[in-house]
Amino acid sequence: MGEMMSKVKVSTTINGDPVEYLCDAEETLLDVLRDHLGLTGAKEGCGTGDCGACSVVVDGRVVCSCLVLGAEAEGRKVTTVEGLATGDRLHPLQQKFLEFAALQCGVCTPGFLVAAKALLDRNPDPTETEIRFGLAGNLCRCTGYDKIVRAVQAAAAEMRKG
Amino acid sequence: MPLDATIDPATHKFALVGTRPLRPDGIDKVTGRARFGADASAPGMLVGKILRSPHAHARIRAIDTSKAAKLPGVKAIVTRADFKEGDPGLRDVLHNVMARDKALYDGHAVAAVAATSAAVARKALKLIRVDYEILPHVTDVDEAMKPGAPVLHADMITANVEPAPKKASNIASRCEFGHGDPEIGFKQADLVIARSFKTEATHQGYIEPHACLASVGSDGQGELWVCTQGHYMVRNQCASLLGMDVSKLRVTASEIGGGFGGKTTVFIEPVALALSRKAGRPVKLVMSREEVFRASGPTSSASMDVKIGVTKDGRITAGTAEIRFQGGAFAGSPVEFGAMSAFACYDLEHVKTVGYDVVTNRPKQAAYRAPGAPMVAFAVESVLDELAKKIGMDPIELRLKNAAKEGTRSSYGPKYKRIGLIECLEAARRHPHYKAPLGPNQGRGIAAGFWFNFGGQTCVSLNVNVDGTVALAVGTPDIGGSRASMCLIAAEELGIGYEQVRAIVADTSSLGYNDISEGSRVTFSTGLAVIQAARDATAKLCARAAKTWGIAPDAVVWEKGYAKPASPNAGSFAPLSLADIAKTAGSTGGPIAGHCEVNAEGAGVSFAVHMTDAEVDRETGRVEIKRYTVVQDAGKAIHPSYVEGQYQGGAAQGIGWAINEEYVYGRDGRLQNPGFLDYRIPVASDLPMIDTVIVETPNPGHPYGVRGVGETSIVPPLAAVANAVSAAAGVRLSELPMAPPRVLAAIDAAASRRS
């Protein structure tokens, strides 16, 4: 199987940088990010698209990178949690997650940040209900979501101020 | 270490304790830089995979690995033959890590491979032939206790029963707690209610699956990187199971993606080390989510009978409970904690609880946040709710009339020191939530909860750096922001800024032994050790100042970050800051460090009161949680944001347990829902905001009055939600989870009883 197959060559853009890699046809985008490119911010919590810990944005859409093949990234634009901050300047969501103590263990945090950014890109002024449903694909077992929702509300308010 | 006589927590003005600074590991965790269990790699690393039994109960006649061994890329295979019987105290741990003569549950490990890629490792697992003789199985606790049930262990004779049974059974042990004579108490009651309850097993549900990276050289020295709540426990158990010297195994705790008690034992770590030793290369082993559900610790399922008597004016005259926990394939369910905690909230003259620890063909249970207490609180607090309704008394008033207080003899034996249950009940009664109007089909439930809390073995080092900053090394993995709290405490004691202290979780070779991050013990006991280590350091700083000034060390005091002469008699010298003294340490006697090694006692027990409003859809049976408030005693909140986080997280887990989560077994004894799609934990759209009230009733056993807060928060929610749902549905729900089919059936049954 794996060792007999020839690798697929992929050219893509990750966090704004051109990237080329070889992957097995069966490898997921998450495998490629974590095992080949050293981008371990996205986590594998389930491998079945149920927890959102591996969330990345592909061409403007949030996806579970465990459900996307590495080969499918050809020619696309991928954003991971590693691409949210600009140099040493945090994205407002990252800053508000810290200020509101919206993480305890922090393993779901990269997925939440990626999903929340995509939500606010679509809808800069979401209601609490819209935030809760917008983030319903991301599981957090530590916080009960209260502080996460408040952090997203605060980040949205700050981003609206510009 | 008792409450500091110089500090009255009610009035003391702390400089930093009680503030909410950003956590020191925060930037790493919002940028993806933090390294968790599966985020490490090593040169030459192999991938490990585990073969697991598809049968609930089967004798393993033979394991043939010859075909798998010939597959190119396979570098090592281990089976039961690679793990020798050793320490009898770790026998069950060993047999859970790798099955011996029998596979005892669906998911039990039977073999493992290390290969050059995940694809090769998966292929190799398929080439291993296991010859199973399938045996009858049992997964329900009441079924497992019946005569004639399939017996898991031929040598299991129920402990603590006189005379000892002659025949083996699935009942590992019996326990009993209490005082007085409940029969007398029940005779004094105006109303006695007896009810039976059942709860299903739930999983801790941490988002990070178990993961480790093991490397053992041919010299027998090993390194292990692992996500765990206790890396010293991992070191000691793995060294014992593999026949290594403890000193030859260095374990580093990665960032940990949730544990809740589930990462307080070993599963894959000894397997990864054994594979690495055999292959001579590093091996990374990561559980899939399915493996986490099938083979790591869920909590016990429970079957319980509770009986409580009250007078018309609301005095509880007696309470009894018989509780039966199945804890999976090995002895050790938390039934004793359940039996001890059942009536711990109340001041009772007559109380008795009996518990049975039962084995079944399920994965061995692991601790889950206040292990044993939530299910028993569900039963007891449900009966109290029903009693309050029947005698026409407010449910908080009923609890206040019977609440345990300082001096109360607890239902499990010891007398309470200062505790905060009454304060919590009164705060709940004052809360606007308690008087808010309810909508149609809504009900309000309240419940109280108790947890013991723990202290334990703790070792801390605090190094004063040359520039006046401080390096703090602790040995308790940070599972919820504890490094922030430890930095606050060290800075408070030293009189320096929070940002000047950097806390790390040291590896097992760099710091003395520490017990696991469990039992809500870290802020209490590591915090206590940080205080002592800081005071050890300030004594040394004072001695250096004394040397500089040429006066006696006891003529110098430490105040707000400065060494000062104790009195004008000691001489007149300009105060020296920590940074001043640190700068010249090399010429005044060398490095300055404070240490503490302690077996911390005095962890104060803690209480919580939860209230919630539930809405029931009478057509579908669906329950929606509309509002939720947590009131809990923290003793003293070091970093209030993370205290609130513990309150909210425990409540959310409890809500999931109450209305949705359960292990579902088929008739074949296989787990039917080993994934987050079918084992559904609460998501953001399932929950409301969770309001919190931090009560601070100082713990007399800690210098600042701290009590652990991590576990108590999951004790009341099962009962609070059940009481709310029962009120909304108009019928008592006595089995969890209260999923739509069960709620609908209860509503329909009540309607047909009425008609």
Side-chain angles (χ1 to χ4, degrees):
Chain A
M1 271 187 40
E3 73 280 12
M4 301 298 290
M5 285 182 188
S6 58
K7 302 264 184 185
V8 183
K9 180 171 178 291
V10 177
S11 300
T12 186
T13 304
I14 299 180
N15 299 328
D17 298 326
V19 175
E20 293 195 343
Y21 55 80
L22 295 173
C23 67
D24 292 338
E26 71 199 39
E27 281 183 301
T28 66
L29 177 58
L30 179 62
D31 292 334
V32 169
L33 291 171
R34 292 181 53 82
D35 299 340
H36 298 334
L37 303 178
L39 292 168
T40 54
K43 309 298 178 191
E44 180 164 324
C46 66
T48 51
D50 298 315
C51 79
C54 66
S55 297
V56 301
V57 172
V58 177
D59 285 353
R61 246 183 87 202
V62 182
V63 296
C64 288
S65 59
C66 72
L67 297 183
V68 176
L69 290 172
E72 289 181 277
E74 173 67 34
R76 302 193 185 259
K77 287 192 171 58
V78 179
T79 306
T80 71
V81 69
E82 287 92 344
L84 292 191
T86 312
D88 64 354
R89 211 176 74 243
L90 294 179
H91 186 277
L93 277 163
Q94 293 172 309
Q95 186 61 34
K96 293 301 171 193
F97 265 58
L98 292 178
E99 287 172 15
F100 282 75
L103 53 139
Q104 281 176 34
C105 81
V107 81
C108 71
T109 309
F112 267 98
L113 289 167
V114 167
K117 179 175 180 294
L119 169 68
L120 297 188
D121 286 347
R122 268 197 323 273
N123 178 358
D125 192 7
T127 63
E128 182 193 330
T129 303
E130 285 168 339
I131 293 172
R132 289 187 177 277
F133 279 91
L135 299 178
N138 294 77
L139 300 182
C140 169
R141 193 59 159 171
C142 293
T143 64
Y145 305 103
D146 181 300
K147 292 183 189 301
I148 291 176
V149 172
R150 290 178 199 277
V152 173
Q153 288 173 324
E158 184 161 311
M159 288 164 71
R160 286 196 303 275
K161 277 189 286 179
Chain B
M1 193 179 180
L3 192 63
D4 196 319
T6 63
I7 293 173
D8 175 0
T11 56
H12 183 78
K13 288 290 279 183
F14 286 99
L16 293 167
V17 162
T19 63
R20 302 172 183 243
L22 303 191
R23 58 195 288 165
D25 54 322
I27 297 280
D28 283 357
K29 286 186 172 163
V30 297
T31 55
R33 210 158 54 193
R35 291 168 76 234
F36 290 84
D39 295 340
S41 55
M45 184 174 86
L46 303 171
V47 178
K49 297 267 176 208
I50 293 178
L51 182 69
R52 299 183 179 278
S53 168
H55 306 298
H57 197 190
R59 193 169 307 286
I60 301 171
R61 290 200 196 101
I63 303 173
D64 179 3
T65 60
S66 56
K67 272 193 185 153
K70 286 187 196 120
L71 185 70
V74 171
K75 299 296 174 188
I77 302 175
V78 296
T79 65
R80 56 191 175 181
D82 295 271
F83 296 90
K84 292 192 176 55
E85 296 279 358
D87 179 357
L90 290 178
R91 190 188 74 155
D92 287 355
V93 173
L94 175 63
H95 293 187
N96 193 40
V97 162
M98 192 62 69
R100 308 302 285 189
D101 56 329
K102 290 203 290 184
L104 293 165
Y105 56 91
D106 164 40
H108 202 164
V110 293
V113 302
T116 49
S117 74
V120 174
R122 276 194 292 268
K123 196 172 177 187
L125 290 187
K126 290 190 181 141
L127 295 173
I128 296 174
R129 293 276 164 266
V130 184
D131 181 9
Y132 291 108
E133 175 196 345
I134 297 172
L135 302 170
H137 65 270
V138 62
T139 54
D140 178 79
V141 61
D142 292 323
E143 294 297 321
M145 291 177 77
K146 285 181 183 163
V151 171
L152 273 73
H153 304 284
D155 59 350
M156 183 168 277
I157 301 294
T158 310
N160 305 328
V161 174
E162 292 292 338
K166 297 228 164 28
K167 273 179 64 183
S169 75
N170 294 321
I171 306 171
S173 64
R174 178 187 185 277
C175 62
E176 184 179 325
F177 299 91
H179 54 253
D181 182 347
E183 288 316 310
I184 295 172
F186 287 128
K187 283 192 190 118
Q188 296 164 352
D190 296 313
L191 177 63
V192 176
I193 290 181
R195 294 276 179 267
S196 296
F197 299 87
K198 284 196 102 160
T199 66
E200 242 317 329
T202 56
H203 196 276
Q204 293 82 348
Y206 31 82
I207 306 302
E208 181 200 30
H210 297 265
C212 67
L213 172 58
S215 182
V216 184
S218 53
D219 56 359
Q221 299 203 61
E223 306 236 337
L224 184 68
W225 163 271
V226 57
C227 61
T228 177
Q229 290 175 246
H231 47 316
Y232 294 86
M233 169 278 298
V234 169
R235 177 193 65 178
N236 292 2
Q237 294 199 355
C238 288
S240 178
L241 296 178
L242 291 152
M244 296 169 76
D245 290 341
V246 166
S247 65
K248 286 193 176 161
L249 181 58
R250 180 166 74 138
V251 182
T252 305
S254 71
E255 293 297 335
I256 174 172
F260 315 109
K263 291 176 182 167
T264 59
T265 185
V266 295
F267 297 104
I268 57 173
E269 298 84 355
V271 179
L273 285 163
L275 285 168
S276 175
R277 183 161 69 180
K278 215 164 176 175
R281 286 167 65 171
V283 173
K284 181 157 150 182
L285 221 172
V286 181
M287 273 195 189
S288 68
R289 178 56 54 183
E290 182 184 325
E291 288 179 289
V292 171
F293 275 113
R294 286 170 70 207
S296 74
T299 188
S300 290
S301 63
S303 171
M304 304 165 287
D305 309 316
V306 168
K307 185 175 171 185
I308 303 175
V310 290
T311 60
K312 273 183 254 174
D313 61 354
R315 190 171 58 84
I316 301 175
T317 59
T320 62
E322 184 186 291
I323 61 179
R324 303 164 291 272
F325 282 8
Q326 70 74 28
F330 300 93
S333 81
V335 74
E336 284 199 22
F337 286 153
M340 290 164 77
S341 67
F343 290 98
C345 288
Y346 304 108
D347 186 352
L348 302 183
E349 198 178 337
H350 304 290
V351 57
K352 180 178 168 181
T353 56
V354 173
Y356 292 97
D357 177 19
V358 181
V359 297
T360 68
N361 295 109
R362 294 187 185 216
K364 176 172 167 49
Q365 68 80 36
Y368 181 17
R369 210 167 194 162
M375 0 1 183
V376 181
F378 159 59
V380 168
E381 295 289 310
S382 290
V383 173
L384 283 179
D385 193 64
E386 196 176 343
L387 285 165
K389 282 198 168 61
K390 291 245 165 79
I391 63 170
M393 182 174 276
D394 173 90
I396 292 184
E397 182 62 25
L398 175 67
R399 286 165 176 85
L400 272 168
K401 280 206 165 191
N402 297 281
K405 53 189 174 295
E406 185 169 356
T408 294
R409 184 181 176 192
S410 68
S411 56
Y412 60 95
K415 270 194 180 160
Y416 289 126
K417 294 182 176 149
R418 191 167 172 200
I419 55 174
L421 175 59
I422 288 173
E423 288 87 337
C424 287
L425 285 163
E426 286 173 342
R429 192 162 58 175
R430 281 195 305 273
H431 196 283
H433 181 175
Y434 199 53
K435 291 171 199 74
L438 287 165
N441 296 316
Q442 292 182 3
R444 179 164 298 147
I446 75 119
F450 157 93
W451 186 244
F452 304 91
N453 294 334
F454 179 56
Q457 299 184 67
T458 310
C459 181
V460 159
S461 269
L462 186 154
N463 292 294
V464 177
N465 298 323
V466 65
D467 61 352
T469 61
V470 165
L472 179 63
V474 302
T476 37
D478 179 349
I479 51 176
S482 60
R483 273 166 293 189
S485 304
M486 295 309 113
C487 289
L488 276 171
I489 291 172
E492 180 80 39
E493 283 293 323
L494 296 170
I496 60 176
Y498 167 78
E499 281 80 14
Q500 286 167 272
V501 184
R502 169 89 181 156
I504 62 148
V505 179
D507 67 68
T508 57
S509 297
S510 305
L511 192 66
Y513 178 81
N514 278 270
D515 279 334
I516 301 169
S517 295
E518 64 177 358
S520 303
R521 78 177 208 91
V522 172
T523 311
F524 169 74
S525 54
T526 306
L528 182 151
V530 168
I531 293 171
Q532 287 198 6
R535 291 180 184 178
D536 185 32
T538 54
K540 290 169 182 167
L541 289 160
C542 286
R544 298 298 174 88
K547 195 172 176 187
T548 305
W549 294 331
I551 63 176
D554 60 1
V556 180
V557 292
W558 190 261
E559 261 179 39
K560 295 186 174 143
Y562 290 87
K564 295 174 180 169
S567 71
N569 297 342
S572 176
F573 303 100
L576 288 171
S577 71
L578 185 140
D580 295 334
I581 300 168
K583 199 159 46 186
T584 60
S587 57
T588 60
I592 301 169
H595 303 279
C596 174
E597 301 85 31
V598 66
N599 193 353
E601 292 178 358
V605 301
S606 135
F607 296 86
V609 176
H610 289 201
M611 73 180 113
T612 183
D613 301 344
E615 185 173 298
V616 173
D617 182 329
R618 301 188 69 86
E619 303 219 333
T620 63
R622 182 174 179 274
V623 171
E624 191 179 343
I625 302 300
K626 305 299 286 187
R627 187 167 180 179
Y628 205 100
T629 302
V630 177
V631 183
Q632 186 178 320
D633 181 15
K636 176 71 199 170
I638 302 296
H639 191 309
S641 296
Y642 292 104
V643 172
E644 292 162 3
Q646 291 297 319
Y647 290 7
Q648 292 164 334
Q653 286 185 317
I655 291 167
W657 198 339
I659 63 178
N660 207 59
E661 297 176 34
E662 65 177 317
Y663 264 45
V664 180
Y665 279 91
R667 291 169 61 87
D668 57 3
R670 288 179 186 158
L671 183 60
Q672 302 291 296
N673 58 338
F676 279 136
L677 187 63
D678 298 317
Y679 182 101
R680 194 170 174 281
I681 71 173
V683 301
S685 53
D686 293 329
L687 297 175
M689 292 295 189
I690 299 170
D691 203 358
T692 56
V693 178
I694 300 175
V695 169
E696 293 186 321
T697 309
N699 167 20
H702 185 278
Y704 297 170
V706 167
R707 297 175 197 272
V709 297
E711 292 169 290
T712 311
S713 56
I714 203 173
V715 182
L718 282 58
V721 174
N723 290 340
V725 172
S726 299
V731 57
R732 177 65 45 186
L733 275 298
S734 57
E735 287 189 34
L736 301 186
M738 293 174 286
R742 183 168 280 147
V743 174
L744 198 58
I747 291 172
D748 290 348
S752 66
R753 273 198 303 273
R754 277 195 294 272
S755 62

